[in-house]
Amino acid sequence: INSLKQEQQLKKQLIDTDNADLKNLKNQISQKSLKLGYKIEFTSGGNIANLNEAYKTMIKLANSMRDNDEASSTLKKNRQKEIEDLKNLVTKYRSLQGEIQSTREDYEQLTNTIKEYNSQIVDNIGSLESSLSSAITNKIDKTFENATNELDKLKDKINKTFEDEDYEDSKAEKQKT
């Protein structure tokens, strides 16, 4: 159980670290999308709400840029590269979301396994207590029975001794008379 708890703690730390990385990626995506002329919005669950619309608008803006001279051509290529960079950030973001979900599922599975093991331990302790109680009771009963038998034997021996003495006394008295 301790090793499962350690593994569970490691999963928790991984989730915390990944959530921090996810927040960082979210900020990068927001900043880059604003720079590219369209604000990417996130749902309360952390998903990107308007990604397709954002991509279309950004690509449209980039394609509408003139490239009739070297400077404008360079600007257009830079804009297209920034859109690709944004796509890469979004891919990392989504991948990290999946990893976090998988790690959370692992964490929950470990939690359930630990609970199950603890329940089994409690059940086993109850069964062990019952077995020990029964064994102790049987041992006490057997010891009491042995002691009673020994006492009965001693009592019989004492009674036999008294009977022998009474017989001897009685015999001696008869001889006197």
Side-chain angles (χ1 to χ4, degrees):
I1 289 180
N2 285 338
S3 64
L4 291 175
K5 285 183 179 180
Q6 288 174 347
E7 185 178 350
Q8 185 184 38
Q9 185 62 33
L10 290 174
K11 296 287 183 187
K12 175 77 168 101
Q13 290 172 353
L14 181 60
I15 290 169
D16 292 343
T17 301
D18 285 350
N19 276 329
D21 292 345
L22 194 68
K23 184 178 180 182
N24 185 32
L25 282 171
K26 184 178 177 180
N27 289 335
Q28 289 178 38
I29 290 168
S30 292
Q31 290 171 4
K32 191 167 278 293
S33 71
L34 286 174
K35 184 178 177 186
L36 291 169
Y38 196 90
K39 182 180 180 185
I40 289 182
E41 297 173 0
F42 293 86
T43 65
S44 62
N47 293 319
I48 300 173
N50 59 343
L51 184 62
N52 287 334
E53 184 181 328
Y55 279 157
K56 286 178 188 176
T57 301
M58 289 175 201
I59 291 170
K60 186 177 178 181
L61 287 172
N63 288 339
S64 69
M65 293 176 77
R66 294 186 181 173
D67 59 356
N68 50 357
D69 60 32
E70 191 176 323
S72 60
S73 179
T74 301
L75 283 174
K76 185 174 183 175
K77 286 179 183 176
N78 286 344
R79 177 64 54 113
Q80 289 169 337
K81 183 183 179 320
E82 287 180 15
I83 292 171
E84 281 303 310
D85 290 346
L86 177 64
K87 286 181 179 179
N88 289 336
L89 287 174
V90 168
T91 299
K92 286 180 186 177
Y93 182 85
R94 287 182 166 168
S95 176
L96 191 54
Q97 279 181 312
E99 289 174 25
I100 290 170
Q101 181 60 36
S102 177
T103 304
R104 279 188 180 131
E105 290 170 4
D106 291 346
Y107 179 87
E108 289 302 318
Q109 181 61 41
L110 285 167
T111 299
N112 291 337
T113 301
I114 290 168
K115 285 179 184 176
E116 184 178 311
Y117 283 171
N118 282 334
S119 176
Q120 288 176 358
I121 288 170
V122 168
D123 290 346
N124 288 342
I125 288 172
S127 177
L128 183 60
E129 284 176 342
S130 177
S131 294
L132 284 174
S133 176
S134 179
I136 290 169
T137 301
N138 288 342
K139 183 68 175 173
I140 290 171
D141 289 348
K142 188 70 171 170
T143 302
F144 183 75
E145 183 181 322
N146 287 342
T148 303
N149 288 341
E150 289 300 315
L151 285 173
D152 286 345
K153 287 179 186 177
L154 184 59
K155 181 179 149 188
D156 288 346
K157 198 173 191 181
I158 290 170
N159 285 340
K160 176 79 170 128
T161 303
F162 283 137
E163 285 176 6
D164 288 346
E165 286 178 4
D166 285 347
Y167 175 76
E168 291 298 320
D169 287 346
S170 164
K171 190 175 168 185
E173 234 179 86
K174 280 186 185 179
Q175 285 178 355
K176 283 187 187 179
T177 39

